[in-house]
Amino acid sequence: MSFGMVRTYVTKSKQGQWTQDNMRIAADKVLAEQVTIRKAAEIYNVPYTGLQRRVTFSRGVVKNRGG
């Protein structure tokens, strides 16, 4: 009796891989005018547009995906 190969899912994108702590630190640095939004996103490995939204509209740094 043959069961075949077991498949394991491999994530194909880096979407949603950042942490809330990194986003909070990056937002604090930008708000304190120590670095630019783009540079903070690069340093702390967070998405640029997400960081921009949190800094510009001050929505907070809570991580939520979807609509």
Side-chain angles (χ1 to χ4, degrees):
M1 184 184 298
S2 175
F3 291 106
M5 290 181 50
V6 176
R7 296 183 183 264
T8 55
Y9 181 75
V10 178
T11 305
K12 296 182 179 90
S13 73
K14 294 189 175 205
Q15 183 173 350
Q17 295 294 316
W18 54 274
T19 63
Q20 253 181 273
D21 292 335
N22 283 355
M23 183 63 80
R24 183 173 289 118
I25 293 167
D28 289 343
K29 294 282 186 185
V30 172
L31 289 171
E33 298 181 2
Q34 295 177 351
V35 291
T36 62
I37 296 174
R38 191 170 299 280
K39 194 68 177 175
E42 183 181 316
I43 292 170
Y44 294 101
N45 197 26
V46 296
Y48 168 77
T49 51
L51 180 58
Q52 183 182 35
R53 250 194 332 262
R54 282 162 180 80
V55 170
T56 307
F57 303 120
S58 67
R59 292 185 179 181
V61 293
V62 177
K63 181 177 183 178
N64 56 357
R65 294 176 62 190

